[in-house]
Amino acid sequence: MSANEALLTLEGWYTYHNFRTINWEKWKAASAAERQEALDELNALIRTWEANEGENQGSTAVYSILGHKADLVFMFLRPTMQELDEIKTAFNKTRFAAYTEAPYSYVSVVELSNYVHNPGEDPKANPHVRDRLYPILPKWEHICFYPMNKKRDLQDNWYMLSMQERQEMMRSHGLIGRSYAGRVKQIIGGSVGFDDWEWGVTLFANDPLEFKHIVYEMRFDEVSARFGEFGNFLVGNVLNVETLAKKLEV
Ligand code: VOV
């Protein structure tokens, strides 16, 4: 074992997952006109997020979340933390926000770890790397989000392994991941120093069973089997302006 072989990471856009629950009692008690105003204002905000994506200044995705943990997630990627803060504040000032609560959120930055790189190359000059650091979120049917750590136990301490040991395990991880190419898209947000876990994992797929299969298969792979520690999982279905309005119909 050797210590202090800190890995070089590459960072892209900052990310903010804003999970909300809807206070249905309050929403249903509002007049139809009040609900319509709230919806119009929310839609106007969604249009600004779409315009931002059109100008390649970030990306946004909106999903309906299953289970009791949340009803919605607004996921944002932006070049700076200031922009994420402005987005949060603008949302909180809307009428719609007053009908919701925030059971959870996650802050991270899109991260690529340099385990697999071409020596001598400036990674940020590589268009494939840039596409991964500044990704446009696919509006695929389903989203899955969970935070995770790599274990730091006496026997199983990821951070005390040599670079070579970590590289080998990550190569195996990458091979499994690549076998899901075109079916699962992953965004890994590094959150050391930003949030309560080390990474936020966001997966997109058109078939939700792909989430079950990839997460299960990775559990048998050494890096996840020995070192993976996981937080809550949240899963959901894609929304657009029309399907969001339908969800909010009472
Ligand atoms: C579509 C699936 C997919 C693919 C192709 C993929 C590939 C890769 C590669 C090539 C690399 C290393 C270099 C880099 O690019 O960063 C990574 C890195 C990483 N991954 Fe991954 N991963 C996937 C998918 C994928 C999943 C489903 C998970 C959750 C693990 C699980 O058990 O639930 C995950 C986690 C991570 C993490 C936390 C890191 C950072 C680890 C670190 O210590 O720094 N990942 N990942």
Side-chain angles (χ1 to χ4, degrees):
M1 281 197 185
S2 70
N4 198 14
E5 276 190 280
L7 175 78
L8 287 179
T9 53
L10 291 173
E11 283 84 19
W13 278 336
Y14 290 88
T15 85
Y16 167 43
H17 292 70
N18 180 7
F19 291 95
R20 313 295 293 201
T21 47
I22 299 165
N23 185 332
W24 286 110
E25 202 181 347
K26 221 170 147 187
W27 182 246
K28 286 193 293 187
S31 70
E34 275 167 345
R35 283 197 304 268
Q36 193 56 50
E37 271 180 39
L39 204 53
D40 290 345
E41 192 186 22
L42 178 64
N43 287 341
L45 203 53
I46 292 175
R47 297 295 180 212
T48 68
W49 302 336
E50 287 172 352
N52 162 279
E53 185 167 297
E55 290 159 14
N56 228 14
Q57 291 304 306
S59 186
T60 305
V62 184
Y63 283 77
S64 180
I65 297 293
L66 280 82
H68 72 285
K69 294 176 206 134
D71 294 319
L72 296 168
V73 64
F74 301 94
M75 176 180 177
F76 303 99
L77 305 183
R78 291 296 183 276
T80 63
M81 278 201 172
Q82 282 78 2
E83 283 154 288
L84 292 183
D85 197 30
E86 283 162 22
I87 284 170
K88 171 187 157 182
T89 307
F91 180 86
N92 283 341
K93 285 180 183 169
T94 62
R95 291 175 180 80
F96 180 70
Y99 298 100
T100 70
E101 277 122 44
Y104 193 47
S105 67
Y106 208 80
V107 175
S108 65
V109 62
V110 177
E111 177 188 287
L112 295 187
S113 44
N114 232 354
Y115 284 118
V116 265
H117 72 290
N118 303 324
E121 178 194 77
D122 170 10
K124 284 203 173 180
N126 179 331
H128 296 297
V129 173
R130 292 189 60 80
D131 283 353
R132 291 189 56 205
L133 290 174
Y134 311 108
I136 297 302
L137 299 173
K139 313 309 184 256
W140 289 0
E141 286 299 321
H142 303 283
I143 194 171
C144 169
F145 173 84
Y146 53 102
M148 66 172 288
N149 289 338
K150 293 266 176 81
K151 212 180 265 176
R152 283 183 286 133
D153 282 352
L154 284 179
Q155 293 308 313
D156 283 330
N157 187 333
W158 176 254
Y159 297 90
M160 292 299 286
L161 297 182
S162 70
M163 176 62 108
Q164 196 191 339
E165 285 171 292
R166 283 177 283 141
Q167 240 161 5
E168 276 163 19
M169 283 189 241
M170 288 314 293
R171 193 167 297 128
S172 168
H173 167 84
L175 284 176
I176 296 179
R178 273 196 282 279
S179 72
Y180 286 82
R183 294 180 286 139
V184 177
K185 163 107 180 136
Q186 92 281 21
I187 309 276
I188 304 298
S191 44
V192 169
F194 294 166
D195 218 316
D196 300 339
W197 297 76
E198 293 171 350
W199 292 277
V201 177
T202 309
L203 306 176
F204 297 92
N206 283 318
D207 178 351
L209 285 179
E210 301 284 9
F211 299 143
K212 185 172 185 296
H213 294 158
I214 193 172
V215 173
Y216 190 58
E217 189 173 350
M218 285 186 176
R219 291 289 153 96
F220 288 96
D221 187 49
E222 192 172 3
V223 64
S224 295
R226 267 180 74 195
F227 298 101
E229 290 180 334
F230 301 91
N232 281 337
F233 280 66
L234 295 114
V235 69
N237 304 329
V238 73
L239 287 175
N240 55 36
V241 166
E242 289 76 35
T243 49
L244 177 60
K246 184 137 184 48
K247 182 181 172 84
L248 293 171
E249 263 172 23
V250 293

